[in-house]
């Protein structure tokens, strides 16, 4: 029986190989839906739209961005995890949701590893601490002094429970010994709307959605949560310069497909993204947003996702961050 099955198995495997190659060559044959896990206006949305346009041209089919905010990335994650794994539905996910939410939210009904196949990282960016310009706060030291003199008077916005914005601010609170009230939103866009109106006082988030408001003077940037300044905000001190050498927090925005998506399809999309991100035009646009075009392919993104899950689970536990 084994002698009979072995040639048959070999024949099947040889037959499948050309089929996989054919699927790669013919993909895509219709538009691709790229589901962004946050509302319009935030870096997740900006990252999705930044890659969607050139990717549409590269693949010869439209890549349509669909915003599905809510549940700390859970609404978008569930939609993609349950989608047909054929490459026509993908997720543009914010790192805070992908690697921090699982450590914060109990009984999560999606799995950041089992439910998704990594495709590519699109953008990476440090965080910027900003306050409403009407506050009497000019520096990070001013913020700490004001918060200590007025405990629980200040509140901060985040894109949701378990977001990197929340974790970064909780780290600042721990390191500075201050009390600030958390106000979660369904994405950076809605959070910024209330920050600009004065309904909330501050936030810590990535530069892209902040740049115009900082330049107009509506928001005041206090520090960048990195070891060095960034080119797009040369006048804003780094965390060490502002007196917080251990406040190093960066975000990343990556594309995932449902588990079971054919690897040739994933490799084709990742390959095109890699070519796009290597262009001067894409890198310039990313830099103008205060972000970095840091490409990671499927294998590297998969390993990085695993390492980030471990890292932030430890931070969440130390800061006692809960739902």
């Amino acid at each position: 029986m084994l002698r009979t099955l072995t040639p048959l198995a070999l024949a099947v495997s040889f037959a499948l190989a050309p089929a996989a190659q054919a699927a790669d060559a013919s993909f895509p044959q219709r538009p691709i839906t790229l589901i962004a896990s946050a509302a319009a206006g935030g870096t997740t949305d900006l990252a999705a739209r930044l890659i969607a346009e050139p990717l549409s041209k590269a693949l010869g089919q439209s890549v349509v961005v669909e915003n599905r905010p809510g549940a700390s990335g859970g609404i978008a994650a569930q939609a993609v995890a349950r989608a047909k794994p054929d490459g026509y539905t993908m997720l543009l996910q914010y790192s805070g949701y992908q690697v921090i939410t699982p450590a914060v939210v109990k009984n999560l009904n999606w799995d950041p590893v089992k439910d998704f196949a990594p495709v590519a990282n699109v953008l990476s960016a440090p965080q910027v601490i900003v306050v409403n310009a009407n506050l009497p706060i000019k520096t990070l030291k001013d913020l700490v002094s004001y918060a200590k003199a007025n405990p629980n008077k200040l509140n901060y916005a985040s894109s949701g429970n378990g977001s990197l914005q929340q974790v970064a601010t909780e780290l600042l609170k721990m390191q500075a010994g201050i009390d600030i009230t958390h106000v979660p939103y369904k994405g950076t866009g809605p959070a910024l709307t209330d920050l600009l109106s004065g309904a909330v006082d501050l936030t810590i988030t990535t530069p892209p959605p902040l740049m115009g408001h900082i330049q107009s003077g509506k928001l005041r940037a206090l520090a960048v949560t990195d070891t060095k300044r960034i080119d797009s905000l040369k006048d804003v001190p780094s965390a060490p310069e502002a007196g917080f050498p251990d406040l190093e927090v960066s975000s990343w925005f990556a594309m995932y497909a449902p588990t079971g998506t054919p690897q040739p399809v994933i490799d084709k999309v990742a390959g095109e993204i890699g070519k796009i991100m290597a262009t001067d035009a894409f890198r310039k646009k990313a830099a103008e947003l205060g972000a970095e075009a840091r490409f990671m392919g499927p294998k590297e993104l998969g390993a990085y996702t695993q390492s980030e899950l471990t890292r932030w689970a430890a931070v969440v536990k130390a800061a006692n961050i809960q739902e």
Side-chain angles (χ1 to χ4, degrees):
M1 185 178 291
L2 288 175
R3 289 177 182 175
T4 304
L5 287 176
T6 300
L8 178 61
L10 287 172
V12 170
S13 67
F14 282 123
L16 288 176
Q21 293 173 359
D24 180 15
S26 64
F27 177 87
Q29 295 182 325
R30 54 187 171 85
I32 296 168
T33 299
L34 180 58
I35 297 180
S37 61
T43 308
T44 306
D45 174 67
L46 292 173
R49 297 181 190 281
L50 189 64
I51 197 63
E53 182 181 356
L55 188 58
S56 297
K57 294 178 181 177
L59 293 175
Q61 289 285 351
S62 297
V63 178
V64 181
V65 177
E66 182 179 316
N67 298 88
R68 293 202 191 180
S72 297
I75 292 175
Q78 288 179 64
V80 175
R82 295 170 182 171
K84 186 177 180 180
D86 55 9
Y88 289 98
T89 304
M90 295 197 180
L91 174 69
L92 200 294
Q93 182 67 295
Y94 159 52
S95 60
Y97 294 154
Q98 192 73 7
V99 299
I100 297 178
T101 296
V104 175
V105 179
K106 297 178 180 178
N107 302 317
L108 197 68
N109 51 11
W110 56 275
D111 189 286
V113 175
K114 293 179 181 179
D115 289 338
F116 301 100
V119 179
N121 188 59
V122 175
L123 283 182
S124 296
Q127 308 281 298
V128 182
I129 305 170
V130 292
V131 296
N132 185 292
N134 292 324
L135 288 172
I137 295 171
K138 306 290 185 182
T139 67
L140 188 52
K141 289 184 178 179
D142 288 346
L143 173 64
V144 172
S145 297
Y146 187 92
K148 286 184 176 179
N150 302 275
N152 287 317
K153 182 177 179 179
L154 293 176
N155 51 38
Y156 75 90
S158 82
S159 59
N161 289 319
S163 65
L164 195 59
Q165 297 164 337
Q166 181 192 12
V167 174
T169 312
E170 293 299 322
L171 277 175
L172 173 61
K173 288 169 58 177
M174 289 171 56
Q175 293 176 13
I178 56 177
D179 291 320
I180 304 174
T181 303
H182 179 215
V183 183
Y185 289 82
K186 292 183 178 181
T188 302
L192 279 182
T193 298
D194 275 8
L195 178 60
L196 290 166
S197 72
V200 289
D201 302 306
L202 66 118
T203 194
I204 302 181
T205 192
T206 48
L210 302 174
M211 298 300 291
H213 303 304
I214 293 172
Q215 292 164 357
S216 70
K218 294 179 180 179
L219 298 179
R220 184 175 295 118
L222 305 183
V224 175
T225 62
D226 203 348
T227 56
K228 60 183 184 301
R229 298 189 183 199
I230 59 176
D231 290 340
S232 56
L233 292 170
K234 293 181 178 179
D235 296 332
V236 180
S238 65
E241 290 176 316
F244 290 84
D246 297 325
L247 191 64
E248 184 179 351
V249 183
S250 291
S251 296
W252 41 275
F253 303 84
M255 192 180 296
Y256 295 86
T259 293
T261 301
Q263 194 61 44
V265 169
I266 290 173
D267 290 341
K268 183 173 184 176
V269 174
E272 295 299 338
I273 291 174
K275 293 175 188 176
I276 292 166
M277 292 179 63
T279 63
D280 290 338
F282 188 91
R283 290 183 175 277
K284 183 179 179 181
K285 288 180 180 179
E288 289 173 351
L289 292 172
E292 177 188 5
R294 183 190 171 194
F295 175 74
M296 286 185 276
K299 289 184 179 180
E300 187 181 1
L301 176 59
Y304 189 65
T305 301
Q306 289 277 12
S307 66
E308 286 281 271
L309 282 163
T310 302
R311 177 195 178 196
W312 290 111
V315 173
V316 167
K317 183 177 180 180
N320 194 30
I321 298 172
Q322 301 176 9
E323 291 183 78

